[in-house]
Amino acid sequence: MSWQWELVHHHEFITEGPVWDGRYLFYSEIYASRTWRYDPDSGERVVWREDTGRANGMLRAPGGGLLACEGGGRRVVRYVAEADTEVIADRFEGKQFNEPNDLAQAAGGRIWFSDPNYGGRPMQLNHESVYCVDPGVSTGVDPGGPPRRVTFDTNRPNGVLLNEDESELYVAESPHRPDQRRQLRAYPIAADGSLGEHRVLHDFADARGVDGMTRTTEGLIVATAGHRERGPGPMIYVFEPSGRVVSTHPSPADRPTNCTFAEAGRGVLYVTFAGGELYRVSDTGLSGAI
């Protein structure tokens, strides 16, 4: 099935973190430190929040608002309309994070987030890892404790996503060095939120690996990956949980960054890009779970 792509808007800076709240699509324009709200019914596009510390990945927050990784602010936060930003995590063992990038949240409230250093700023931490924040912190009630480091084998983690039954965390391992492999990994989750030894679902070798991803109602992984410099090019991949590639769909712009399903039936896929584009695909043959 060949996808038909429609350009919704072309921004000046990289777009990321698309999330659907049941009525609106929200997404980040990272280097503008701006969160946009788009209404598919009317076509209206407005700035929902500014001064977001170069927010990247986002999710719907329990009780309303959005959870966001502020890469420039080096923290994970919660946004509520017309309210001050609530800080969920901004330090590990007294040191600032590198550049929080993406996050996933379990039904019980526990959050996992990645902390790479794509910006190249001086690091207070000597590693680029995935962290876990226990339930309670995301709502500001009864904090569950400080962030815990849960990966010790990542060089540059990027997108993160929970599998269908929340027994595994998918992690995009996306280093830039040519001697390090770009991989989509699955880590088993222990009862306390820590992660076990990973299995490799897909190895992209030296091509650009997964950036962001979402999941379908059938448990399939829909992931953005690739660029025009090498490999098969910019692409949306659909994976089974085993890692088998179900289908690939070339994208109309370079370096797709993230994606989410939206609108009635969650059958419309929105995709953000490093060039600032926001595209939609009306008929994917898939239905989104998140």
Side-chain angles (χ1 to χ4, degrees), residues 42-94:
S42 66
E44 181 184 46
R45 180 178 48 85
V46 299
V47 175
W48 183 74
R49 199 174 188 96
E50 296 191 272
D51 302 319
T52 61
R54 299 208 301 267
N56 194 322
M58 300 191 297
L59 289 175
R60 285 184 297 173
L66 299 174
L67 301 176
C69 287
E70 290 190 348
R74 296 186 171 188
R75 60 187 189 173
V76 179
V77 301
R78 181 186 182 213
Y79 301 139
V80 178
E82 300 180 4
D84 292 339
T85 299
E86 174 191 339
V87 178
I88 294 170
D90 62 358
R91 291 179 183 271
F92 175 68
E93 297 181 343

Side-chain angles (χ1 to χ4, degrees), residues 3-86:
W3 286 1
Q4 301 301 309
W5 294 80
E6 175 191 348
L7 179 64
V8 177
H9 193 76
H10 193 163
H11 291 274
E12 182 179 0
F13 299 107
I14 178 176
T15 51
E16 250 281 10
V19 58
W20 177 247
D21 78 341
R23 180 180 177 184
Y24 299 110
L25 180 81
F26 296 85
Y27 60 97
S28 305
E29 187 182 4
I30 294 180
Y31 292 108
S33 286
R34 186 177 294 144
T35 300
W36 290 91
R37 189 189 73 189
Y38 173 69
D39 184 348
D41 291 335
S42 66
E44 181 184 46
R45 180 178 48 85
V46 299
V47 175
W48 183 74
R49 199 174 188 96
E50 296 191 272
D51 302 319
T52 61
R54 299 208 301 267
N56 194 322
M58 300 191 297
L59 289 175
R60 285 184 297 173
L66 299 174
L67 301 176
C69 287
E70 290 190 348
R74 296 186 171 188
R75 60 187 189 173
V76 179
V77 301
R78 181 186 182 213
Y79 301 139
V80 178
E82 300 180 4
D84 292 339
T85 299
E86 174 191 339

Side-chain angles (χ1 to χ4, degrees), residues 216-232:
T216 73
T217 53
E218 297 178 336
L220 300 175
I221 306 162
V222 181
T224 57
H227 54 31
R228 291 171 181 161
E229 296 175 18
R230 65 172 66 91

Side-chain angles (χ1 to χ4, degrees), residues 11-280:
H11 291 274
E12 182 179 0
F13 299 107
I14 178 176
T15 51
E16 250 281 10
V19 58
W20 177 247
D21 78 341
R23 180 180 177 184
Y24 299 110
L25 180 81
F26 296 85
Y27 60 97
S28 305
E29 187 182 4
I30 294 180
Y31 292 108
S33 286
R34 186 177 294 144
T35 300
W36 290 91
R37 189 189 73 189
Y38 173 69
D39 184 348
D41 291 335
S42 66
E44 181 184 46
R45 180 178 48 85
V46 299
V47 175
W48 183 74
R49 199 174 188 96
E50 296 191 272
D51 302 319
T52 61
R54 299 208 301 267
N56 194 322
M58 300 191 297
L59 289 175
R60 285 184 297 173
L66 299 174
L67 301 176
C69 287
E70 290 190 348
R74 296 186 171 188
R75 60 187 189 173
V76 179
V77 301
R78 181 186 182 213
Y79 301 139
V80 178
E82 300 180 4
D84 292 339
T85 299
E86 174 191 339
V87 178
I88 294 170
D90 62 358
R91 291 179 183 271
F92 175 68
E93 297 181 343
K95 298 178 180 179
Q96 281 188 310
F97 291 114
N98 302 314
E99 192 178 1
N101 182 281
D102 197 17
L103 71 169
Q105 185 173 40
R110 179 172 281 146
I111 296 170
W112 292 265
F113 66 92
S114 58
D115 184 42
N117 186 33
Y118 283 104
R121 293 181 295 180
M123 296 167 56
Q124 294 187 17
L125 298 166
N126 63 358
H127 51 84
E128 301 179 43
S129 306
V130 175
Y131 296 86
C132 175
V133 181
D134 287 327
V137 177
S138 62
T139 61
V141 179
D142 187 24
R148 293 178 287 124
R149 184 184 179 189
V150 292
T151 63
F152 300 84
D153 59 355
T154 48
N155 295 295
R156 185 154 289 175
N158 196 326
V160 293
L161 176 71
L162 285 166
N163 74 339
E164 191 171 16
D165 64 4
E166 300 185 351
S167 63
E168 290 188 314
L169 183 72
Y170 302 129
V171 177
E173 165 71 343
S174 304
H176 280 175
R177 282 173 39 183
D179 61 325
Q180 297 170 337
R181 309 289 286 192
R182 288 113 171 126
Q183 297 175 333
L184 176 57
R185 297 176 174 181
Y187 288 82
I189 301 173
D192 65 354
S194 60
L195 305 181
E197 184 176 348
H198 75 267
R199 60 190 176 97
V200 176
L201 301 185
H202 192 83
D203 194 318
F204 292 83
D206 63 348
R208 178 176 179 262
V210 170
D211 192 335
M213 46 191 162
T214 190
R215 197 181 71 243
T216 73
T217 53
E218 297 178 336
L220 300 175
I221 306 162
V222 181
T224 57
H227 54 31
R228 291 171 181 161
E229 296 175 18
R230 65 172 66 91
M235 198 84 63
I236 309 300
Y237 288 79
V238 181
F239 296 100
E240 288 185 345
S242 66
R244 187 181 79 86
V245 178
V246 176
S247 60
T248 58
H249 305 272
S251 67
D254 201 14
R255 295 177 180 266
T257 57
N258 213 330
C259 57
T260 197
F261 287 96
E263 302 188 33
R266 300 295 291 270
V268 177
L269 186 70
Y270 282 85
V271 184
T272 54
F273 289 84
E277 301 91 347
L278 174 67
Y279 274 89
R280 69 193 294 269

